[in-house]
Amino acid sequence: MAKIFYFIVVIFFCFRAYAQESRQSLSLIPQPLHVEQHKGSFKLDGSVVVQVDEANPELLKLADLLVQGVYDRMGLSLKRGKPDGKGKSILLKIAPDTLSDEGYRMSVSGQDITIQASKGNGIFYGIQTVYQLIPADYRGGAISLPSLSIVDRPRFGWRGLMLDVGRYFYSVDYIKKYIDYLSMHKLNVFHWHLTEDHGWRIEIKKYPRLTEVGAWRSGTNFQPGNNIDHNPHGGFYTQEEIQEVVAYAKDRYVTVVPEIELPGHSLAALAAYPELSCTGGPFKIPERWGIQEDIYCVGKEEVFVFLENVLAEVVELFPSEIIHIGGDEAPKKRWSACAQCQKRIREEGLKDEHELQSYFITRIEKFLNSKGKKIIGWDEILEGGLAPNAAVMSWRGTKGGIAAAKMGHPVVMTPTSHMYFDYFQGEPYLEPYAIWGHTPLRKVYGYDPIPEELTTEEQKYILGVQGNLWSEYIHSPEHNEYMTYPRGAALAEIAWGSPENKDWGDFKRRLEEQYKRYEQKGINYSRSAYQVYFEVTNDAPNNRSTVNLLTDSYQPEIYYTLDGNEPTLQSNRFEGPFEVPIHKTVRAATFKNGQKISPVSTRSIVHF
Ligand code: ACM
Ligand code: ZN
């Protein structure tokens, strides 16, 4: 009897180990709300038909997208057809559901895959999940997708990435790629920073000089410090190109939120139309980065005429309900010295230049509201009084976001501390030049967009979270991708994933498969997560330290030396924190499959 009991116990544990093993083989990013794996699998081969209600044009488009996506990943051509309950199928179906507008239910069984959602958005996200069931390093032959059920929906409705095309111009083709990459992470907002001191990038028919003059500069501050290349740089998007981008994004369920900066970061516009400034100019588009003192004059009515004309064209191009009006980093020096700005302050009964900025933003808000749009601005728009219907993008930490939410205004969290992807992501001495700051993968992943200071009621005003990519020192698509991914995957996980499922260790495991997806798509992702960083505890009285070696990668194999030599597979294998005498230098690197996959990190042990 006892033997049988033990036999059953052994079988049970073997089965459980097997079940866990097979569960572990999924590498979905972002992690869905609920996943249940079942026995069996779905063989994905040429007999599979993608079935949709052919009377629904949106579903037809999604079916074609899936067919193309499977072809791109496997070279396998699936047919499209009507639901017929026969044969092996992938069924895409719209049906009322209690999940959010973007949620979906998915099941994979031996006979079919069903993706069901109340809107096309959810179907699109279900399709992204199907792609992630296909091994990223597929090299041909039959594949079986594991049987499972998924119930999924995003935590936040605003899951954004911002790209600054003012400091560096990215082509339409690249913008489309950027949007494609964003959507594969189930992100849904592309915040397009279209105007800057250093370049105006959107064609405005009424003001051709904005792009004739404002889109071009004579040189670029290519590295921190006084490093100017004197190579002319520029470019802009025609209105037709913008429409093309917006349509491309719409097919990927991405909203394009344009940013037209005011009252600051506007020197490119002032170079084209100097009469819109306080001093009258003339101006040259600067080559060096930095905050500019010349901004739009609030005293002059023609500034409002100009901006309203510009925005009237902008709202026609972008279906987004929200328009970003900037509002950050507007020095008040010119306004303080300008007779017309001062006259405006007196006439409007304003207290100071901060209230003047609030007057400016509120007038612009009123205009955009009249066009059926809402505004969002950087958190400086809180200074001098927040415009009545404005949303706030909290970038200087979380204080602005907390204040706005407490006042009942919508908020997007993008604090520099966690969400600035132009900051270093690895050890700065091992990284390409970055502007400053440090937002490694672990820090991005560790961020919770809901500040603790908010009550449950106030938390509802947090629309979501966004990563920002400022381009001062990011001057190629490759470098852009290097800075964006895999931090964009960590962003996706916190923007979409629910806090209960948050698991840094498992995220690092799943990321190994995500890297392969990046390779398959040709995304130049950063391998900085393999870099070793040091945790050192000093024991000064005994002239020694305890050193821990860490990375942002999954189960890293780390080798190190204490004799100054490059670590190799013959060096010390790191098994846990170890003691090092003072004045020694630790050199460490990560290895995989016998190859060194990180640069060598170095730390000298000194006591202060
Ligand atoms: C910003 O980074 N100036 C919003
Ligand atoms: Zn003025």
Side-chain angles (χ1 to χ4, degrees):
M1 193 62 207
K3 265 190 190 156
I4 291 180
F5 174 73
Y6 283 121
F7 182 71
I8 291 171
V9 167
V10 167
I11 294 287
F12 172 76
F13 279 104
C14 286
F15 180 76
R16 215 174 69 155
Y18 165 78
Q20 279 173 354
E21 179 62 27
S22 62
R23 214 173 6 257
Q24 282 200 347
S25 66
L26 291 183
S27 291
L28 304 175
I29 290 182
Q31 179 64 26
L33 181 65
H34 184 74
V35 183
E36 203 176 309
Q37 281 193 250
H38 309 303
K39 274 217 309 253
S41 60
F42 176 86
K43 195 157 167 237
L44 185 54
D45 58 27
S47 71
V48 173
V49 179
V50 177
Q51 299 186 344
V52 288
D53 170 3
E54 292 182 338
N56 182 328
E58 188 178 12
L59 279 177
L60 280 178
K61 220 173 198 179
L62 284 161
D64 289 343
L65 192 91
L66 173 60
V67 167
Q68 183 65 45
V70 169
Y71 182 78
D72 292 345
R73 283 163 181 80
M74 298 176 61
L76 176 69
S77 300
L78 302 182
K79 292 198 179 50
R80 205 187 72 199
K82 290 199 284 284
D84 59 7
K86 288 193 217 133
K88 286 204 315 192
S89 63
I90 305 180
L91 176 68
L92 310 180
K93 191 171 150 198
I94 299 282
D97 202 319
T98 52
L99 291 170
S100 74
D101 281 358
E102 298 181 291
Y104 65 96
R105 288 171 203 272
M106 178 169 146
S107 72
V108 178
S109 71
Q111 200 55 28
D112 54 28
I113 298 179
T114 304
I115 302 171
Q116 185 173 309
S118 59
K119 293 207 160 168
N121 308 54
I123 304 280
F124 179 82
Y125 295 128
I127 290 173
Q128 301 313 306
T129 301
V130 169
Y131 293 159
Q132 294 196 351
L133 297 176
I134 300 172
D137 50 4
Y138 176 78
R139 295 273 180 277
I143 63 166
S144 293
L145 311 186
S147 285
L148 47 75
S149 343
I150 291 179
V151 180
D152 200 9
R153 60 157 168 69
R155 182 180 184 198
F156 295 109
W158 186 301
R159 306 180 300 280
L161 268 174
M162 184 218 75
L163 181 60
D164 163 19
V165 297
R167 267 55 169 266
Y168 184 82
F169 178 72
Y170 288 90
S171 69
V172 168
D173 282 349
Y174 190 67
I175 296 295
K176 286 184 180 171
K177 273 195 186 169
Y178 198 76
I179 290 169
D180 193 38
Y181 301 161
L182 204 138
S183 71
M184 81 183 246
H185 290 84
K186 302 189 172 97
L187 298 173
N188 68 347
V189 174
F190 171 51
H191 170 175
W192 205 357
H193 184 80
L194 282 165
T195 72
E196 250 310 329
D197 295 311
H198 303 86
W200 182 284
R201 305 284 176 229
I202 171 172
E203 178 192 27
I204 299 295
K205 305 260 193 213
K206 199 162 190 126
Y207 299 103
R209 283 176 60 80
L210 283 172
T211 42
E212 283 165 13
V213 174
W216 310 96
R217 64 171 184 259
S218 54
T220 294
N221 190 178
F222 63 93
Q223 264 175 21
N226 197 23
N227 298 302
I228 312 286
D229 65 13
H230 304 296
N231 298 328
H233 174 81
F236 66 93
Y237 310 103
T238 65
Q239 295 200 352
E240 288 69 28
E241 286 171 331
I242 286 183
Q243 282 164 332
E244 193 181 313
V245 167
V246 167
Y248 184 89
K250 182 167 179 276
D251 285 347
R252 285 153 187 79
Y253 296 87
V254 170
T255 301
V256 183
V257 174
E259 180 177 356
I260 306 296
E261 273 264 22
L262 54 90
H265 287 287
S266 49
L267 197 51
L270 299 182
Y273 297 99
E275 63 275 20
L276 303 174
S277 69
C278 290
T279 65
F283 305 107
K284 181 175 176 287
I285 300 187
E287 294 175 335
R288 282 187 71 104
W289 312 128
I291 297 172
Q292 307 296 319
E293 286 175 343
D294 289 290
I295 65 177
Y296 293 118
C297 175
V298 204
K300 295 178 178 169
E301 273 309 293
E302 56 265 44
V303 167
F304 291 95
V305 173
F306 166 81
L307 286 171
E308 289 182 7
N309 284 334
V310 167
L311 290 168
E313 291 190 33
V314 169
V315 299
E316 290 301 317
L317 293 168
F318 296 92
S320 168
E321 194 193 5
I322 293 194
I323 306 288
H324 203 303
I325 51 74
D328 61 320
E329 299 178 324
K332 307 298 183 291
K333 190 169 165 185
R334 295 286 184 261
W335 291 355
S336 301
C338 169
Q340 293 182 80
C341 285
Q342 292 304 311
K343 181 161 170 271
R344 180 81 77 188
I345 288 181
R346 281 192 307 279
E347 285 177 1
E348 296 293 330
L350 306 172
K351 203 166 74 202
D352 57 15
E353 285 74 17
H354 292 296
E355 288 199 1
L356 187 60
Q357 162 140 335
S358 174
Y359 165 87
F360 193 118
I361 304 283
T362 303
R363 264 188 80 168
I364 296 295
E365 174 180 78
K366 212 178 254 174
F367 174 74
L368 283 169
N369 286 169
S370 79
K371 297 277 177 191
K373 301 288 190 186
K374 293 181 178 160
I375 67 164
I376 189 165
W378 300 108
D379 58 53
E380 286 93 328
I381 67 169
L382 282 151
E383 294 162 7
L386 190 52
N389 308 310
V392 169
M393 207 165 249
S394 190
W395 73 281
R396 296 176 304 174
T398 56
K399 279 212 293 285
I402 293 166
K406 284 189 178 294
M407 293 190 299
H409 287 253
V411 171
V412 175
M413 300 304 284
T414 71
T416 53
S417 54
H418 297 77
M419 288 295 129
Y420 269 42
F421 294 173
D422 54 334
Y423 288 10
F424 288 101
Q425 61 189 309
E427 298 301 286
Y429 66 96
L430 300 177
E431 288 290 326
Y433 283 106
I435 192 159
W436 54 59
H438 193 221
T439 52
L441 191 65
R442 58 187 175 281
K443 205 163 181 193
V444 176
Y445 192 85
Y447 182 58
D448 185 347
I450 303 266
E452 282 171 4
E453 292 85 343
L454 299 183
T455 64
T456 313
E457 196 47 42
E458 290 160 353
Q459 289 175 11
K460 293 186 186 139
Y461 293 104
I462 305 296
L463 297 180
V465 57
Q466 177 173 294
N468 291 335
L469 206 74
W470 300 99
S471 298
E472 280 94 338
Y473 301 111
I474 302 173
H475 297 160
S476 70
E478 293 76 20
H479 194 187
N480 181 330
E481 286 159 19
Y482 177 89
M483 299 305 272
T484 311
Y485 298 106
R487 287 186 287 193
L491 165 69
E493 185 99 345
I494 60 172
W496 179 285
S498 62
E500 311 84 83
N501 287 335
K502 201 162 172 174
D503 182 340
W504 170 234
D506 191 56
F507 174 71
K508 286 187 290 185
R509 179 190 65 76
R510 287 178 278 131
L511 206 49
E512 290 293 316
E513 184 73 8
Q514 188 78 355
Y515 288 155
K516 292 185 201 155
R517 292 178 192 126
Y518 293 158
E519 277 156 31
Q520 184 219 28
K521 270 197 155 308
I523 299 176
N524 183 44
Y525 69 99
S526 158
R527 277 108 171 136
S528 305
Y530 292 119
Q531 288 174 16
V532 175
Y533 68 95
F534 300 91
E535 234 175 43
V536 179
T537 319
N538 289 333
D539 177 4
N542 292 309
N543 277 338
R544 67 187 177 199
S545 296
T546 301
V547 174
N548 195 9
L549 306 180
L550 301 115
T551 75
D552 284 352
S553 64
Y554 183 61
Q555 297 183 345
E557 260 180 66
I558 302 173
Y559 289 84
Y560 67 94
T561 65
L562 298 176
D563 58 7
N565 285 324
E566 287 258 322
T568 66
L569 290 167
Q570 279 69 51
S571 308
N572 306 297
R573 169 130 188 195
F574 175 68
E575 306 285 358
F578 54 95
E579 281 191 356
V580 182
I582 190 169
H583 303 313
K584 285 274 184 196
T585 295
V586 187
R587 306 193 75 202
T590 305
F591 290 72
K592 189 175 180 178
N593 302 329
Q595 301 290 321
K596 185 157 75 64
I597 54 165
S598 77
V600 177
S601 294
T602 304
R603 175 80 173 253
S604 293
I605 302 304
V606 288
H607 297 167
F608 296 102

